[in-house]
């Protein structure tokens, strides 16, 4: 065979080799994609079954969700408003997670943030725009302080972050309830002798978040812009700043971070403070952006859902934007489900099922690697025994 023929065959084989490598690379991700498709399909099937058990057609429920969240410009604006606090909470959750700290107390931090923001809005005199800014700042500082309690417990006494932040949620709920049931604090004033409900005064309109657009067209509060800006800023800082690099190093390897001169207590505690500040700001945005008065249950589980947004987005603040919007669609459309006979709480059940469906493939990959490692260890042990015999 001549050299010319060999060279020609090599030139023909090279593109084939590159093409086959691309195919193998694509197929390597196929099992993961297939797992996601199967998992989400099962979740949708379970959701449809739950809806059918209420005596309603699944298609009717889907139409109701669409009409309540995406059918008109006004409903789209409502979905955006519902998604904004979730995105703010998720962005803060990403900061703590990047430092290797699992903050699950966002619900309490959000609740305390809304409480302090209400106190600032009611008791601080001054022009409306200034009081509005101070209310948002007060909510953020309150959330940071609440998370700071868990940070001190962790770094000073060794109480795990998960336990500390979780227990503080229940205390925060009681703090809010106490505040709105005491006339000398935040309880709404009424005629002498009348028993007033546990809620605050309606905030004056000057301290409401400005709206963009007008009803019935597309309209939403400026809290949406705040949430988007914070998500982008967090993403940029974590990826392109020295601070973000240190946070990532601390989260990946605490020992290496210490040897590099990073103070784990200072940097980790700061990360937890930022996470709490974002959650507190989310509560303030909910108060001055939509509720306009403090009431028990004002959070509407937004702290928990914000945590889920961060988990589903795999702790990526940019990916958290569409995930938060999806959660906002479910929240906005949930009110329409009541008209179809489907209980509103079923939206939370469906959301939980879908979150489990998204979280299952990564967990399955970890389990599969564990099983493979154990099988390889057993095979190695058996081969060692055979060689010794």
């Amino acid at each position: 065979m001549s050299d010319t023929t060999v060279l020609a065959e090599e030139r023909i084989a090279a593109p084939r080799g590159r093409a086959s490598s691309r195919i193998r690379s694509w197929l390597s991700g196929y099992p993961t994609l297939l797992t996601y498709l199967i998992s989400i399909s099962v979740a949708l099937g379970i959701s449809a079954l739950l809806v059918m058990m209420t005596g309603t057609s699944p298609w009717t429920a889907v139409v109701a969700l669409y009409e309540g969240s995406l059918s008109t410009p006004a409903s789209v604006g409502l979905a955006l408003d519902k998604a904004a606090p979730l995105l703010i909470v998720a962005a803060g959750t990403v900061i703590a997670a990047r430092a290797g700290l699992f903050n699950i107390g966002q619900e309490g931090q959000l609740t305390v943030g809304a409480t302090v923001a209400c106190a600032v809005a009611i008791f601080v005199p001054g022009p409306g725009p200034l009081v509005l800014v101070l209310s948002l700042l007060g909510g953020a500082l309150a959330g940071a302080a609440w998370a700071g309690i868990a940070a001190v417990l962790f770094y000073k006494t060794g109480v795990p972050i998960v336990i500390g932040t979780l227990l503080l949620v229940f205390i925060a709920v009681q703090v809010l309830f106490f505040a709105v049931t005491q006339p000398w604090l935040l309880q709404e004033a009424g005629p002498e002798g009348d028993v007033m409900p546990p809620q605050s005064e309606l905030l004056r309109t000057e301290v409401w978040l400005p709206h963009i657009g007008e009803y019935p067209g597309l309209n939403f509060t400026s809290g949406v812009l705040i949430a988007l800006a914070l998500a982008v800023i967090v993403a940029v800082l974590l990826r392109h700043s020295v601070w973000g690099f240190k946070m990532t190093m601390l989260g990946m390897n605490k020992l290496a971070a210490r040897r590099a001169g990073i103070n784990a207590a200072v940097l980790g505690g700061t990360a937890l403070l930022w996470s709490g500040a974002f959650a507190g700001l989310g509560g303030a945005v909910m108060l001055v952006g939509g509720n306009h008065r403090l009431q028990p249950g004002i959070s509407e589980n937004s702290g928990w859902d914000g945590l889920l947004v961060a988990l589903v987005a795999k702790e990526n603040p940019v990916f958290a934007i569409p995930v938060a919007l999806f959660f906002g669609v479910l929240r906005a459309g949930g009110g329409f489900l009541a008209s179809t006979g489907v209980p509103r709480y079923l939206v939370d059940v469906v959301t939980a099922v879908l979150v489990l469906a998204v979280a299952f493939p990564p967990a399955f990959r970890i389990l599969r690697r564990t099983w493979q490692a154990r099988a390889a260890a057993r095979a190695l042990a058996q081969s060692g025994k055979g060689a010794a015999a």
Side-chain angles (χ1 to χ4, degrees):
M1 184 181 295
S2 65
D3 294 341
T4 305
T5 305
V6 173
L7 182 60
E9 290 178 354
E10 289 178 351
R11 289 178 177 176
I12 294 173
R16 290 178 180 174
R18 288 194 295 269
S20 62
S21 65
R22 292 194 193 99
I23 294 174
R24 285 195 300 270
S25 176
W26 181 82
L27 288 177
S28 64
Y30 180 73
T32 300
L33 176 61
L34 182 61
T35 305
Y36 271 104
L37 291 176
I38 294 175
S39 181
I40 294 176
S41 298
V42 171
L44 293 175
I46 294 174
S47 302
L49 180 62
L50 292 174
V51 172
M52 291 174 63
M53 291 174 64
T54 65
T56 305
S57 167
W59 178 249
T60 303
V62 171
V63 171
L65 284 173
Y66 171 76
E67 290 179 348
S69 57
L70 298 173
S71 61
T72 64
S75 60
V76 172
L78 177 60
L80 291 174
D81 284 335
K82 295 290 185 180
L86 306 185
L87 182 56
I88 295 174
V89 172
T93 303
V94 170
I95 296 176
R98 188 62 62 92
L101 302 175
F102 193 46
N103 175 21
I104 63 171
Q106 291 87 348
E107 185 76 6
Q109 294 147 20
L110 184 147
T111 299
V112 170
T115 303
V116 173
C118 179
V120 173
I122 291 177
F123 294 121
V124 174
L130 175 61
V131 176
L132 172 61
V133 173
L134 293 177
S135 296
L136 295 174
L137 181 60
L141 291 176
W146 207 249
I149 298 174
V152 172
L153 290 174
F154 176 64
Y155 289 108
K156 293 297 183 181
T157 64
V159 177
I161 292 293
V162 172
I163 295 177
T165 54
L166 179 61
L167 292 180
L168 285 168
V169 172
F170 303 101
I171 300 176
V173 173
Q174 296 304 318
V175 168
L176 184 150
F177 187 78
F178 178 80
V180 295
T181 54
Q182 303 300 315
W184 56 276
L185 278 178
L186 296 178
Q187 186 179 26
E188 182 180 16
E192 188 69 25
D194 286 1
V195 178
M196 299 304 295
Q199 63 183 22
S200 71
E201 300 276 357
L202 185 68
L203 303 184
R204 52 194 176 107
T205 57
E206 290 82 1
V207 297
W208 293 9
L209 272 178
H211 257 73
I212 298 174
E214 295 183 359
Y215 186 85
L218 177 64
N219 69 100
F220 51 87
T221 68
S222 51
V224 176
L225 302 182
I226 295 174
L228 290 173
L230 289 176
V232 173
I233 291 172
V234 169
V236 172
L237 290 178
L238 288 178
R239 186 175 180 85
H240 299 289
S241 71
V242 175
W243 173 76
F245 176 76
K246 290 181 178 180
M247 295 279 285
T248 303
M249 179 184 292
L250 179 62
M252 295 182 66
N253 193 320
K254 290 183 174 60
L255 180 59
R258 289 193 183 98
R259 291 181 175 176
I262 295 175
N263 190 321
V266 172
L267 190 63
T270 303
L272 196 59
L273 290 177
W274 277 113
S275 181
F278 274 58
L281 178 62
V285 167
M286 292 186 69
L287 175 73
V288 299
N291 298 80
H292 301 140
R293 73 163 77 236
L294 188 67
Q295 295 172 314
I298 187 175
S299 68
E300 299 178 347
N301 293 326
S302 295
W304 303 119
D305 284 355
L307 171 62
L308 292 178
V309 168
L311 294 177
V312 173
K314 297 182 178 180
E315 300 171 359
N316 187 316
V318 175
F319 292 163
I321 295 175
V323 176
L325 181 59
F326 172 72
F327 275 63
V329 167
L330 291 178
R331 282 173 165 261
F336 273 62
L337 286 179
S339 63
T340 67
V342 177
R344 185 183 177 90
Y345 65 80
L346 194 60
V347 174
D348 296 331
V349 177
V350 171
T351 301
V353 171
L354 291 174
V355 169
L356 289 175
V358 175
F360 174 76
F364 179 73
R365 287 200 303 272
I366 295 174
L367 289 175
R368 186 175 60 181
R369 291 171 185 169
T370 303
W371 295 334
Q372 291 173 348
R374 289 178 178 176
R378 285 195 299 267
L380 183 60
Q382 290 176 359
S383 63
K385 290 179 181 178

